[in-house]
Amino acid sequence: MRSETSPLLKVEGLCRNFGGLMAVDTLDFDVHAGEIFGLIGPNGAGKSTTFNVISGFLPPSGGSVRFRGEVLPGGKAAAASRAGLVRTFQHGSYVRSMSVGDNIRLGTVSGTPRPERAGRVREVAALLGLSDKLGETAGTLPHGLQRLVSIAIAIAAQPKLLCLDEPLTGLNETEVGTVLKVLDGYRRAGDRAILLVEHNMKAVMTVCDRILVLHHGTFLATGTPTEIRGNDDVIHAYLGQAHAK
């Protein structure tokens, strides 16, 4: 699904340190329109820090993030969002006291006529199996459905780059299947891409076109799922023999 045009996202020499700790060290990768790009690695590998820098929640200590041909200003999440880069968080991105419908409406583009926003809410809810939950308070839903609400909010914004931080945590097998189908459809609809951080290796290997593996904040390997499964360094550092089979 990868486009052969200029990359949608280009990360060059990205570094981020916290005092004397180098959390991300000289990272290079790109994401093209039409693909799902996976970012994986052990806990503490630097995945969330990379996400935080790319999405503007942290400034880089070095290097650059170029999105749609323009360098994103470091540490400015609102600028990244306005440019079309939207992310979710590991622990959910929704307002517990609001209804599911109102939460999804938060993700729709500000200034859009009310009927169009209402239609977008219904469309996204249907995609994620939330149509019968629109009037319910988000915080009262089971954990798996709360995760789906967070994903729905991000998709409602129709970003060019959808950055998902462990979206499948706590989902049952049916919910995982729903999300993977939605993600596959989303990246196929025009000049969009998805950057995915996820520990569910079965899902990653199923849905991703390319994968980058981090280890201790540094590049370990990149390639297709087949290449990553067969990479001895990745097997040793992260996947283990059971996941590689």
Side-chain angles (χ1 to χ4, degrees), residues 1-2 31 34-40 162 164 167-168 179-181 183-184 187-188 193-213 222-229:
M1 292 299 299
R2 176 179 171 177
V31 180
E35 75 173 340
I36 299 178
F37 188 94
L39 185 60
I40 67 173
L162 177 60
L164 299 173
L168 306 180
V179 171
L180 295 186
K181 183 177 179 180
L183 298 187
D184 185 58
R187 59 84 174 267
R188 293 175 184 273
I194 295 170
L195 178 59
L196 176 67
V197 168
E198 182 53 56
H199 283 294
N200 183 328
M201 285 301 100
K202 181 180 178 181
V204 168
M205 296 299 173
T206 297
V207 77
C208 289
D209 300 288
R210 292 187 297 140
I211 299 169
L212 171 69
V213 188
T222 191
T224 66
T226 299
E227 291 167 340
I228 294 301
R229 276 196 298 263

Side-chain angles (χ1 to χ4, degrees), residues 112-196:
T112 303
R114 183 175 296 180
E116 290 184 27
R117 296 182 80 175
R120 181 66 180 156
V121 169
R122 291 192 297 270
E123 176 188 352
V124 174
L127 284 174
L128 290 160
L130 295 170
S131 295
D132 62 343
K133 306 294 183 183
L134 287 173
E136 296 190 26
T137 302
T140 65
L141 297 177
H143 175 75
L145 293 183
Q146 291 176 1
R147 302 290 295 191
L148 295 182
V149 172
S150 293
I151 297 169
I153 294 168
I155 289 177
Q158 298 181 288
K160 296 299 183 183
L161 181 63
L162 177 60
C163 299
L164 299 173
D165 196 355
E166 300 188 25
L168 306 180
T169 301
L171 301 189
N172 62 38
E173 188 173 344
T174 299
E175 291 165 342
V176 168
T178 295
V179 171
L180 295 186
K181 183 177 179 180
V182 169
L183 298 187
D184 185 58
Y186 189 84
R187 59 84 174 267
R188 293 175 184 273
D191 53 346
R192 307 170 179 172
I194 295 170
L195 178 59
L196 176 67

Side-chain angles (χ1 to χ4, degrees), residues 38-56:
L39 185 60
I40 67 173
N43 289 331
K47 304 183 299 297
S48 290
T49 299
T50 300
F51 247 42
N52 286 335
V53 175
I54 289 172
S55 57

